[in-house]
């Protein structure tokens, strides 16, 4: 009898997890595209009218997959549109939605890791990409660097070339030691926030993000995401 109760509880738990996952997908469908998602189409309308938004979501996702069979897609900005009257007199709604391309696993892990490694750093601070190491044999190094820059900009940070950040740091140190001129002082006015170096390492097993405070040399973020 006890074994039967355990089995019943396990089944109930699995069902609740599945229901929660489906609800999460639907809740995302009503939100705007996130920074890491690429918009493929806007103001798309369902082909039929639906009485329930959940049914409209499933139909929109099915239509999106048919339109972009080779991409991992999601639905965003799902909202009621025109009204349609059914044959039995009931009312349904067409739904408008946006189709987005979801990032691949490496990209997801990249954004998650950067987000965790920089969560204690206020926006407006300056970053430079220090090193990018890719050894998984499939990921494009320059694409990863570009994605990191776009993500940082999207989060409200400023991104400089590494050489520029190093120059500003040297001028900061010179000013502290009394070795500076008017040009240096003018340039230092732009260095209103602490600078950070961000390094990326991608292997077949994991992705690692490290963030170093340029002024102190201290690690302020070190996050590893396993694949």
């Amino acid at each position: 009898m006890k074994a039967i109760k355990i089995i019943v509880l396990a089944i109930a738990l699995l069902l609740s997890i599945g229901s929660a996952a489906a609800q999460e997908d639907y809740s995302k469908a009503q939100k705007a595209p996130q920074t890491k998602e690429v918009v493929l189409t806007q103001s798309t309308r369902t082909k039929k009218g639906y009485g329930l938004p959940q049914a409209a979501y499933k139909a929109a996702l099915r239509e999106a997959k048919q339109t972009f069979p080779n991409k991992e897609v999601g639905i965003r900005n799902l909202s009621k549109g025109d009204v349609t009257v059914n044959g039995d007199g009931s009312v349904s709604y067409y739904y408008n939605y946006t189709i987005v391309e979801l990032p691949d696993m490496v990209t997801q892990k990249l954004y998650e890791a950067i987000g965790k490694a920089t969560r204690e750093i206020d926006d407006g601070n300056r970053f430079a990409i220090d090193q990018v190491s890719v050894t998984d044999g499939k990921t494009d190094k320059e694409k990863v660097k570009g994605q990191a820059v776009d993500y940082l900009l999207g989060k409200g940070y400023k991104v400089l070339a590494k050489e520029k950040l190093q120059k500003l740091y040297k001028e900061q140190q010179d000013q502290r030691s009394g070795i500076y001129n008017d040009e240096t002082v003018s340039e230092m006015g732009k260095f209103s926030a602490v600078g950070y170096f961000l390094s990326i390492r991608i292997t077949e097993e994991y992705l690692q993000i490290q963030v170093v405070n340029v002024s102190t040399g201290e690690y302020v973020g070190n996050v590893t995401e396993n694949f």
Side-chain angles (χ1 to χ4, degrees):
M1 191 66 176
K2 186 176 180 180
I4 294 175
K5 287 183 178 180
I6 293 174
I7 293 173
V8 171
L9 288 172
I11 293 173
L13 179 61
L14 289 172
L15 289 174
S16 65
I17 292 173
S19 176
Q23 183 62 33
E24 181 184 1
D25 290 340
Y26 171 65
S27 65
K28 289 180 181 179
Q30 300 173 84
K31 298 178 181 178
Q34 299 180 17
T35 304
K36 60 188 179 183
E37 297 169 342
V38 178
V39 175
L40 299 176
T41 68
Q42 293 179 321
S43 301
T44 304
R45 192 178 82 161
T46 55
K47 297 177 181 178
K48 295 169 52 180
Y50 296 91
L52 296 174
Q54 291 87 346
Y57 163 69
K58 291 179 180 179
L61 184 59
R62 182 171 60 251
E63 293 171 8
K65 290 180 178 180
Q66 291 172 349
T67 304
F68 299 98
N70 298 319
K71 296 181 181 293
E72 187 69 26
V73 295
I75 302 300
R76 300 291 180 266
N77 295 329
L78 183 70
S79 61
K80 283 184 179 179
D82 297 332
V83 177
T84 178
V85 179
N86 304 315
D88 60 1
S90 61
V91 173
S92 297
Y93 294 88
Y94 290 101
Y95 277 75
N96 301 317
Y97 61 93
T98 296
I99 303 175
V100 298
E101 181 178 6
L102 303 176
D104 58 30
M105 180 60 69
V106 172
T107 304
Q108 289 184 44
K109 295 295 185 182
L110 175 69
Y111 293 150
E112 289 174 8
I114 294 177
K116 292 177 182 178
T118 60
R119 61 188 169 191
E120 300 298 328
I121 301 174
D122 295 333
D123 58 8
N125 277 283
R126 288 170 165 80
F127 277 83
I129 306 300
D130 185 20
Q131 297 179 355
V132 179
S133 172
V134 178
T135 58
D136 66 352
K138 60 182 179 180
T139 302
D140 183 87
K141 179 178 177 179
E142 291 304 314
K143 181 180 178 181
V144 168
K145 183 177 180 179
Q147 289 174 323
V149 171
D150 286 344
Y151 183 81
L152 290 169
L153 291 173
K155 298 295 286 186
Y157 297 115
K158 301 180 188 303
V159 183
L160 306 177
K162 180 180 177 181
E163 296 77 12
K164 180 69 172 177
L165 195 56
Q166 288 175 321
K167 179 175 181 289
L168 290 175
Y169 174 62
K170 182 178 184 303
E171 290 173 349
Q172 183 190 52
Q173 298 302 102
D174 288 346
Q175 184 183 20
R176 288 175 178 174
S177 65
I179 307 173
Y180 61 91
N181 54 35
D182 292 340
E183 182 181 351
T184 298
V185 173
S186 175
E187 187 71 12
M188 277 304 303
K190 302 176 184 177
F191 198 54
S192 58
V194 175
Y196 297 88
F197 281 147
L198 186 146
S199 297
I200 304 168
R201 179 175 177 80
I202 299 174
T203 71
E204 293 183 353
E205 292 81 24
Y206 66 88
L207 179 149
Q208 183 182 63
I209 297 294
Q210 293 183 324
V211 178
V212 175
N213 183 311
V214 175
S215 296
T216 66
E218 297 175 339
Y219 284 98
V220 296
N222 182 31
V223 176
T224 299
E225 295 282 347
N226 295 318
F227 293 122

